[in-house]
């Protein structure tokens, strides 16, 4: 697509779920103490994320930080390390001002790879070490068809889980096999039944479009199979073929043809969900219009801090985003997990990226603009003392020329058009700074 001679970026360049991207992180030459990093940071609406890097199988499209299985007592050693890390982090947060968590999530990997007893220990770490009141805040937990057992799910909901998210990807067994996601539809449906039996407030189902052999008709079959469960949320993900993944070992389809097919399937899925009572929250997320709100969630991803526990989790302060080493290859992941379980000192940030005032502007604009509701310009101006149009005239001018900005948005609201939302994965990387682009380009996948 081009408008007035302006070439459009490819629609599927990168899924932007955080900025700066983790491939822009580097080992910190002078690792700062967490206590110094968090001193003076607002701590009254933090987000807590615990990462569990284990799965029963690794899907062909997956480049998440996870490993297959956990030999010996690895899960016990991992939870021991998580306990040590949580203790050190809570000490670093201090007691000079109130520390409160406004939202929590367990992700992975597959958190429900852990047994019910291990999940109970994970909840204990979040509550007793970190001080998070899991029954008083929104708590999201990811699961899979094979691990969504009644005892695990029941324990999680009893401890406060308000949202259970299950990665189905496709209800068509041939498509699941093509995505290297071996599963039987009967097992998927049984797992969904067990989730509904818990009475959890929000069921989320993840689906993927762009799988080899997928058509509009087969895509609609998956959508309708998901809709039969009336999930409060649905995520529609485009398939990516990334280096060092299972599908990354197969030759990709012609990029242009594949882009066009994914866009067709996206629009088909979007329109189908909108016609069935869902509202669009972002390019990927759709929420049932009559779903009951979970209650106040006063964490704002643009401004508030995040505490990440586990070797694949990130933490955010206003000045530094930090984590542990990152890898995709299974051998490298295993060595990083082993090193994490042997770590005794969690008092410093060792891998990360400093965020200056201009990167903070980019992050705020990017994470706000990729939401369907858009960004109130006044909020940006109040935070930064400048206008986004003055700070990013080239980028926003280009988006406008491409028809990606909503010209009918209310005054004072910067919002994407439907076509802009459709191109979120092309638009997002356009807002990356030259420094972040260079660091990502220099990163060597491992």
């Amino acid at each position: 697509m081009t408008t007035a001679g302006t070439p459009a970026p490819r629609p599927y360049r990168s899924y932007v779920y955080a900025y700066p991207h983790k491939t822009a992180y580097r080992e910190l030459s002078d690792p700062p103490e967490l206590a110094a990093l968090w001193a003076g940071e607002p701590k009254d609406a933090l987000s807590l994320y615990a990462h569990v890097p284990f799965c029963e199988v690794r899907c062909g499209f997956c480049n998440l930080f996870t490993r297959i299985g956990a030999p010996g007592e690895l899960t016990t050693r991992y939870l021991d390390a998580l306990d040590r890390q949580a203790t050190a982090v809570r000490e670093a947060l201090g007691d000079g001002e109130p520390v409160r968590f406004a939202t929590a999530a367990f992700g992975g990997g597959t958190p429900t790879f852990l047994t019910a007893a291990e999940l109970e220990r994970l909840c204990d770490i979040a509550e007793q070490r970190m001080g998070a009141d899991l029954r008083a805040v929104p708590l999201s937990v990811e699961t899979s068809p094979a691990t969504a057992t009644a005892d695990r799910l029941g324990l999680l909901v009893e401890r406060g889980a308000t949202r259970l998210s299950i990665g189905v990807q496709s209800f068509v067994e041939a498509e699941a096999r093509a995505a290297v996601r071996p599963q039987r539809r009967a097992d998927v449906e049984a797992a969904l039944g067990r989730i509904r039996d818990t009475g959890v407030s929000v069921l989320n189902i993840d689906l993927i479009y762009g799988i080899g052999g997928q058509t509009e008709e087969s895509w609609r079959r998956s959508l309708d199979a998901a809709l039969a469960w009336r999930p409060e949320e649905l995520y529609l993900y485009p398939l990516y073929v990334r280096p060092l993944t299972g599908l990354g070992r197969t030759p990709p389809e012609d990029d242009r043809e594949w882009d066009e097919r994914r866009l067709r399937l996206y629009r088909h899925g979007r329109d189908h969900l909108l016609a069935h009572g869902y509202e669009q929250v972002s390019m990927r997320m759709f929420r049932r219009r009559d779903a009951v709100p979970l209650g106040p969630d006063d964490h704002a991803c643009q401004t508030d801090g995040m505490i990440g526990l586990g070797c694949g989790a990130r933490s955010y302060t206003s000045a530094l985003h930090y984590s542990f080493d990152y890898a995709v290859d299974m051998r490298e992941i295993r060595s990083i997990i082993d090193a994490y379980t042997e770590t005794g000192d969690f008092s410093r940030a060792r891998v990360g990226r400093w965020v200056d005032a201009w990167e903070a502007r980019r992050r705020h604009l990017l994470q706000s603009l990729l939401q369907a509701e858009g960004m109130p310009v006044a909020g940006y101006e109040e935070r930064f003392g400048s206008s986004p149009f003055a700070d990013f005239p080239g980028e926003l001018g280009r988006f406008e020329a491409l028809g990606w900005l909503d010209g009918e948005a209310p005054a004072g609201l910067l919002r994407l058009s439907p076509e802009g939302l459709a191109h979120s994965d092309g638009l997002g990387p356009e807002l990356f700074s030259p420094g972040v682009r260079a660091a990502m380009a220099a990163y060597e996948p491992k």
Side-chain angles (χ1 to χ4, degrees), residues 39-63:
E41 291 283 317
K43 306 182 186 75
D44 59 339
L46 297 172
S47 176
L48 178 65
Y49 177 77
H51 178 246
V52 179
F54 307 109
C55 288
E56 75 279 6
V57 65
R58 194 173 199 196
C59 304
F61 50 83
C62 178
N63 72 337

Side-chain angles (χ1 to χ4, degrees), residues 420-444:
L421 271 180
H423 286 78
S424 291
D425 285 5
L427 182 153
E430 291 291 297
L431 290 171
F432 292 3
S433 71
V436 166
R437 291 173 193 262
M440 292 174 64
Y443 176 80
E444 295 183 8

Side-chain angles (χ1 to χ4, degrees), residues 68-240:
I68 300 171
E73 300 297 318
L74 182 56
T75 54
T76 298
R77 297 198 305 275
Y78 186 81
L79 288 171
D80 288 345
L82 203 73
D83 196 320
R84 294 194 299 274
Q85 185 190 6
T87 300
V89 171
R90 183 60 188 86
E91 181 179 344
L93 292 176
D95 294 310
E97 56 187 298
V99 175
R100 174 181 161 271
F101 292 94
T103 182
F106 301 156
T110 308
T112 49
F113 179 91
L114 301 177
T115 65
E118 290 170 332
L119 286 168
E120 183 152 36
R121 185 181 178 194
L122 179 62
C123 293
D124 287 342
I125 290 170
E127 292 192 333
Q128 297 171 15
R129 296 290 184 263
M130 295 304 304
D133 187 350
L134 297 182
R135 293 181 177 87
V137 301
L139 169 61
S140 176
V141 185
E142 297 174 16
T143 189
S144 68
T147 62
T149 59
D151 60 337
R152 291 174 170 110
L153 300 176
L155 179 280
L156 288 168
V157 172
E158 192 277 327
R159 292 300 297 263
T162 54
R163 178 181 184 269
L164 293 173
S165 177
I166 184 167
V168 173
Q169 320 316 350
S170 177
F171 284 86
V172 179
E173 292 184 9
E175 291 178 4
R177 288 194 300 272
V180 194
R181 169 82 180 202
Q183 63 188 19
R184 296 189 313 129
R185 177 165 175 176
D187 295 334
V188 172
E189 300 280 0
L192 287 165
R194 290 191 293 273
I195 293 174
R196 277 303 191 206
D197 287 344
T198 68
V200 70
S201 299
V202 174
L203 162 65
N204 174 71
I205 298 176
D206 289 345
L207 297 176
I208 285 181
Y209 57 92
I211 300 170
Q214 191 176 52
T215 64
E216 279 92 340
E217 189 276 332
S218 67
W219 177 224
R220 180 175 289 219
R221 274 193 281 145
S222 271
L223 292 166
D224 286 340
L227 288 172
W229 290 96
R230 301 200 73 243
E232 284 71 24
E233 294 177 5
L234 273 161
Y235 271 71
L236 308 185
Y237 288 95
L239 179 67
Y240 278 94

